[in-house]
Amino acid sequence: TPAGVIRLAALLFMLLGTWVIIQTYFDRSWKTVSLRSWLGTQAPRHECGNRKSCPSDHFAFRLISGAANLVGPSICFNDQILMSNVKNNIGRGLNIALVNGSTGQLLKTGTFDMYSGDIKLLETFLTEIKTGTIVLTATFDDPATKMTDTVRTLFTELGSSFVGNLGFRDNWVFLGAKGLSAKSPFEEHIKNNKETNKYDGWPELLELEGCAPRKVD
């Protein structure tokens, strides 16, 4: 009967609507809700926003290079932001923070324009670093136009493996120390390559996080 057809059509319409709701809500939204958030608890926060915590005899760190020539780098150490856009203490070139390897205390920061700056300032800065000092470096825009063999050697002595190949508009993040007896395991480098660059004229930014061992006297 016509009434039966109408009731059947209404039932099918209701079932179809229910299926659409399930697909759009549960399949897309429910998957993004973890059990922890569903129960109203927060995920544990690790120092520097890292994915895991560090042992008590290590310092947490996170290095983020600049993105093209627009967004500056960030250096976090021992859960403290040492250099960033917000702190207004970063600049084009190399951004370097020096930290006491035993206490984690910030000693000094410096920015060095590697495109049109005075390279002697960087040479002096690196030469004066004392044994036991942790050195954190993040690049922004161009890190290498003014680079000299002297500067490359000084970074190599701090544990760098990649500074010898650092070129125009490459991205580089590095944690080393004065007095290392081996190469640092904390380093990332990406070449400026027009075939693979994420940005127009610059490679993608680099992020490096980890746990740096505390220096024991």
Side-chain angles (χ1 to χ4, degrees), residues 26-48:
F26 286 96
D27 280 2
R28 297 178 186 177
S29 299
W30 183 256
K31 290 178 182 178
T32 67
V33 180
S34 67
L35 178 61
R36 182 180 286 110
S37 63
W38 184 63
L39 294 174
T41 59
Q42 295 295 320
R45 181 192 176 279
H46 304 300
E47 292 186 338
C48 287

Side-chain angles (χ1 to χ4, degrees), residues 94 114 139 142-145 147-149 151-156 159-174 183 187-193 203 206:
L94 298 182
M114 301 299 288
T139 60
D142 173 42
T145 295
M147 185 72 71
T148 62
D149 290 340
V151 170
R152 294 183 195 275
T153 298
L154 289 168
F155 272 115
T156 299
S160 174
S161 300
F162 298 141
V163 70
N165 296 321
L166 197 63
F168 176 66
R169 287 187 177 178
D170 289 359
N171 267 342
W172 179 49
V173 287
F174 166 65
K183 294 298 183 183
E187 186 174 23
E188 294 288 346
H189 173 226
I190 185 170
K191 296 294 292 182
N192 167 27
N193 184 330
L206 291 175

Side-chain angles (χ1 to χ4, degrees), residues 2-3 11 30 43 57 73 84 103 106 139 142 159 165 176 178 199 201:
L11 178 62
W30 183 256
D57 58 347
S84 70
T103 66
L106 176 65
T139 60
D142 173 42
N165 296 321
K178 186 65 175 288
Y199 308 107

Side-chain angles (χ1 to χ4, degrees), residues 42-53 76 79-81:
Q42 295 295 320
R45 181 192 176 279
H46 304 300
E47 292 186 338
C48 287
N50 291 351
R51 288 169 290 183
K52 63 180 182 180
S53 294
C76 178
D79 211 26
Q80 299 293 318
I81 299 296

